[in-house]
Amino acid sequence: MEFSIRAANVEDCRDIARMIRELAEYEKVADHVKVTQRDLEQDGFSKNPFFHGIVAEVPEQHRTKEGHTKIGYALYFYSYSSWTGRAIYMEDLYVMPEFRGKGIGKALMSKVAQLGLAAGCNQLNFTVLDWNKSSLDFYLSQGCFDVTEKMGYHCIRCEGEALEHLAQP
């Protein structure tokens, strides 16, 4: 299957927002999505962006029945490990279901890894749901390892009222 990977631009935000909703539906958490197209435009394409993105596109002749040519994406940002230095965090990796198994997800992940290495990063971090065995198996086959299993770390979050409360002096 012919496809290309390129840096996302502000005009892609509509399609990225669509695919974020699709990913959330796949992960059975559609009600958790609060980010809008406008948020993506502001947060990813301002002077100091909070994230970066890449998109996978197919030629017009392979577009979906809904007319989409943007069929996958990855969002990432740079972070820092106090032990090992520069790192890159892949927030999302998504390929529309009818385009899976064609190397597009691998190409997106590979591009994020390339961008990280080019920026001097020495690790790529991301999360995967425990029930998503096919994705977990794929990541493990690429040489990744389960940090929770190997090192015992858990991913912890504080949000909403708890975050507001925590921020109080």
Side-chain angles (χ1 to χ4, degrees):
M1 157 105 7
E2 186 183 341
F3 65 91
S4 60
I5 306 290
R6 63 167 175 78
N9 59 52
V10 71
E11 289 80 27
D12 296 320
C13 290
R14 182 173 170 190
D15 284 295
I16 293 171
R18 169 185 55 82
M19 290 186 283
I20 287 172
R21 290 188 301 274
E22 291 174 12
L23 175 59
E25 288 170 18
Y26 172 75
E27 292 183 343
K28 302 173 179 71
V29 291
D31 58 321
H32 287 67
V33 177
K34 307 292 184 242
V35 170
T36 66
Q37 176 182 338
R38 183 173 172 85
D39 293 329
L40 293 170
E41 291 168 354
Q42 291 174 341
D43 295 341
F45 300 93
S46 61
K47 184 178 177 188
N48 295 305
F50 278 86
F51 72 88
H52 306 281
I54 54 176
V55 294
E57 281 186 298
V58 293
E60 281 292 325
Q61 68 263 28
H62 296 301
R63 71 180 176 271
T64 67
K65 62 181 185 283
E66 296 85 13
H68 303 300
T69 57
K70 294 165 192 151
I71 50 85
Y73 77 98
L75 298 183
Y76 63 94
F77 56 88
Y78 296 98
S79 60
Y80 199 80
S81 165
S82 58
W83 292 353
T84 60
R86 294 179 184 186
I88 191 167
Y89 188 89
M90 185 171 62
E91 177 65 24
D92 285 350
L93 174 65
Y94 177 75
V95 176
M96 294 176 68
E98 60 264 39
F99 294 94
R100 293 181 188 156
K102 300 177 184 339
I104 299 168
K106 165 74 164 86
L108 284 164
M109 189 172 183
S110 178
K111 184 64 176 177
V112 173
Q114 291 168 21
L115 292 163
L117 288 172
C121 300
N122 56 56
Q123 60 182 249
L124 165 62
N125 296 298
F126 55 95
T127 60
V128 61
L129 288 165
D130 58 0
W131 57 260
N132 194 344
K133 184 161 173 30
S134 63
S135 291
L136 185 57
D137 289 346
F138 169 74
Y139 299 139
L140 295 174
S141 78
Q142 299 303 303
C144 303
F145 65 93
D146 184 337
V147 175
T148 303
E149 186 177 284
K150 186 172 181 177
M151 301 175 73
Y153 285 97
H154 288 275
C155 183
I156 306 297
R157 176 178 297 155
C158 186
E159 63 184 4
E161 288 182 23
L163 180 61
E164 295 288 335
H165 179 58
L166 182 61
Q168 298 304 313

